Amino acid sequence: MSRMSSHLPRHVAVIMDGNGRWAKARLLPRAQGHRKGLESLHEIVEAAAELGVEALTVFAFSSENWRRPEREVRLLMELFASGLEKWTPQLVDAGVRIRIVGDRSRFSESLLRQIEASETATKAGTAMTLSIAANYGGRWDIVEAAKQLLAQGRPLTEEHLTEALSVSDVDLMIRTGGECRLSNFMLWQTSYAEIFFSDKLWPDFDREALKEALTWYTQRERRFGRTSEQLSHTERKTEPKPN
């Protein structure tokens, strides 16, 4: 049985899956599922910040999602822009900094302006960093980081590549919707992440579900290639000595 760990994950990443299936199960248009999913995102961002998570990265739109029907893609882009506009003032008040990570080359001018406005307005936030991965792919991220290093004339090392990626290493990855795959999300950064798969569809994933995932994480034993005995020895060495 794993030992309890009192620390929360510093960086949590979420694959928000199941909006369409949530709507279909209720005989609703897929658009309703995406709108409800946006409400769930707002709740989870608020809860994560309150619970002490330092960084939250959510997978909003993958580079493969452009293959979806044009009408659905257009709706997702509209929800993206309107969501940023609506929630930015609240993020400012909560001290949450927002970052958009991914390839922005296919975004409209109006969406790009909203992204810039939201990032600028929240840049002083220190309570939590919210990264929204949009038109993002894990392979794209690795390739772009490698190209950046080559352009700078820096050696292509594991350390340098990690630094050049758009988002830092993940401690806890959550995927909703019952699927058990990474779907090309943060492939490098999740190499040692604890992965929590939830059967809940994203619109049903709420504050209590997030707490469940965080509690599960605290029960994990993160060895990073070492043995349990080595970890116990290290912990004993770092325990404070009695007066």
Side-chain angles (χ1 to χ4, degrees), residues 12-16 172-176 194 196 198 205 210 213:
V12 177
V14 184
I15 299 175
M16 306 179 293
L172 171 63
M173 169 72 78
I174 299 170
R175 176 162 190 153
T176 66
E194 302 296 327
F196 182 86
S198 172
F205 195 86
L210 176 63

Side-chain angles (χ1 to χ4, degrees), residues 210-222:
L210 176 63
K211 287 182 179 179
E212 178 187 356
L214 296 179
T215 299
W216 174 87
Y217 174 87
T218 64
Q219 297 170 346
R220 302 298 299 163
E221 183 181 72
R222 309 195 74 203

Side-chain angles (χ1 to χ4, degrees), residues 5 33 42 72 76 87 174 188 217 228 240:
S5 173
H42 181 247
E72 182 171 348
L76 289 169
W87 302 123
I174 299 170
W188 183 281
Y217 174 87
S228 297

Side-chain angles (χ1 to χ4, degrees), residues 21-45:
R21 283 176 286 157
W22 182 91
K24 183 177 180 180
R26 290 159 178 77
L27 303 179
L28 297 171
R30 287 177 62 87
Q32 290 299 104
H34 292 309
R35 291 191 176 94
K36 185 65 170 64
L38 188 59
E39 294 177 13
S40 295
L41 174 58
H42 181 247
E43 180 177 354
I44 294 305
V45 170

Side-chain angles (χ1 to χ4, degrees), residues 15 63 80 95-96 106 111-112 119 138 154-156 206 227 239:
I15 299 175
S63 50
F80 186 17
V96 175
R106 296 185 67 173
L111 177 54
L112 289 172
E119 289 183 329
R154 301 174 65 194
L156 187 56
D206 56 14
T227 66
E239 286 179 356

Side-chain angles (χ1 to χ4, degrees), residues 69-84:
E70 182 179 349
R71 183 178 179 181
E72 182 171 348
V73 171
R74 185 168 61 251
L75 170 70
L76 289 169
M77 292 297 110
E78 291 172 356
L79 287 175
F80 186 17
S82 62
L84 285 175

Side-chain angles (χ1 to χ4, degrees), residues 77-234:
M77 292 297 110
E78 291 172 356
L79 287 175
F80 186 17
S82 62
L84 285 175
E85 182 179 13
K86 180 178 180 180
W87 302 123
T88 292
Q90 294 184 33
L91 294 175
V92 172
D93 292 341
V96 175
R97 177 192 175 204
I98 194 168
R99 298 173 62 242
I100 309 302
V101 297
D103 181 2
R104 303 185 186 187
S105 63
R106 296 185 67 173
F107 294 158
S108 67
E109 287 298 322
S110 59
L111 177 54
L112 289 172
R113 285 194 297 270
Q114 184 57 60
I115 288 172
E116 183 178 357
S118 296
E119 289 183 329
T120 299
T122 63
K123 65 180 180 181
T126 57
M128 186 178 77
T129 296
L130 169 64
S131 298
I132 299 178
N135 196 20
Y136 173 92
R139 293 178 177 179
W140 168 88
D141 200 2
I142 295 169
V143 170
E144 289 300 306
K147 287 162 63 175
Q148 178 182 321
L149 293 178
L150 291 173
Q152 295 171 348
R154 301 174 65 194
L156 187 56
T157 66
E158 183 175 325
E159 180 181 2
H160 289 164
L161 188 61
T162 300
E163 293 173 354
L165 290 167
S166 58
V167 186
S168 63
D169 284 352
V170 173
D171 299 306
L172 171 63
M173 169 72 78
I174 299 170
R175 176 162 190 153
T176 66
E179 301 291 355
C180 298
R181 56 177 177 266
L182 293 178
S183 295
N184 194 24
F185 185 44
M186 301 177 72
L187 302 178
W188 183 281
Q189 297 95 325
T190 55
S191 59
Y192 265 101
E194 302 296 327
I195 306 178
F196 182 86
F197 295 108
S198 172
D199 288 332
K200 288 182 178 290
L201 301 175
W202 176 246
D204 294 325
F205 195 86
D206 56 14
R207 182 183 300 260
E208 290 306 312
L210 176 63
K211 287 182 179 179
E212 178 187 356
L214 296 179
T215 299
W216 174 87
Y217 174 87
T218 64
Q219 297 170 346
R220 302 298 299 163
E221 183 181 72
R222 309 195 74 203
R223 297 191 294 272
F224 297 99
R226 292 170 293 182
T227 66
S228 297
E229 291 73 20
Q230 285 177 301
L231 291 180
S232 297
H233 178 67
T234 301

